[in-house]
Amino acid sequence: MSEKTYSDREIVLELFPATHEKLIPQERLYSLEELGSGMLQLKHIKLDKAVLLSPVDPSGSNSSLLCCDLCKHQALRSQMQIYRAHAEGQMSYRYISLCRQRKACLGRYILHEPIEIIERLFDLAN
C-alpha cells in the first residue's frame, strides 16, 4: 500500500493558510547538482538550460563577509565558495558566490522570481 505524500506547498497552505504568498513554497527556478571535485551544475528548470560551475581558490581575508547569490545569506568567506561559470568556445567568465553548506542554502532559498545575476549565467549557455 502506498502512502500519500504532500508537497511543501500543500502543508504550508493547510497548516498556515494566512501565510504571505512570497513565503509559500513554489516550484523553484534553479537546482544545483554536485558533480564531484568541487564542480557544480546549475540548472534552470523552466528554460531547460544548465551551466557548469568550477570552484575558485579562496584568497584574501577569511574574516571578510560574502553574500550567497542564491539564498542571500551573508557569512564569512570560509563558509562561502566563489564559482566561475565558463561559456564553451568563448573566453568569457562570470562569477557567483554560493554557500558551502548546500542543503542549508537550498532551505533558505525561498525566492520564486528570477535572480538577475544567476539569469545572466544562463546567457553563457546558449
Side-chain angles (χ1 to χ4, degrees):
M1 181 189 322
S2 65
E3 292 184 29
K4 180 163 172 65
T5 59
Y6 298 92
S7 70
D8 297 349
R9 182 178 176 82
E10 291 171 324
I11 292 169
V12 169
L13 289 174
E14 179 69 28
L15 298 176
F16 309 102
T19 302
H20 190 277
E21 183 63 32
K22 278 192 133 184
L23 298 176
I24 297 173
Q26 297 177 4
E27 181 180 334
R28 297 190 179 189
L29 293 178
Y30 316 110
S31 70
L32 284 171
E33 181 182 329
E34 296 193 34
L35 302 176
S37 27
M39 299 283 291
L40 294 177
Q41 183 175 43
L42 177 66
K43 292 181 182 178
H44 194 298
I45 296 168
K46 290 187 178 181
L47 296 179
D48 196 30
K49 288 185 175 183
V51 176
L52 290 177
L53 303 173
S54 56
V56 175
D57 292 333
S59 64
S61 171
N62 279 337
S63 63
S64 59
L65 293 175
L66 291 176
C67 182
C68 176
D69 290 317
L70 185 61
C71 73
K72 305 303 180 205
H73 178 68
Q74 196 174 41
L76 294 173
R77 181 182 298 268
S78 61
Q79 297 171 331
M80 296 288 185
Q81 178 66 50
I82 304 290
Y83 288 92
R84 175 179 37 234
H86 174 66
E88 295 222 10
Q90 299 178 23
M91 287 302 295
S92 61
Y93 300 97
R94 299 236 168 105
Y95 296 86
I96 64 168
S97 60
L98 297 172
C99 299
R100 288 184 190 264
Q101 298 291 330
R102 201 84 51 236
K103 191 172 184 176
C105 179
L106 293 175
R108 285 187 294 266
Y109 165 51
I110 60 169
L111 294 176
H112 311 295
E113 301 164 3
I115 301 171
E116 185 177 343
I117 194 166
I118 293 179
E119 289 292 317
R120 280 191 250 140
L121 293 177
F122 294 105
D123 292 343
L124 297 175
N126 289 335

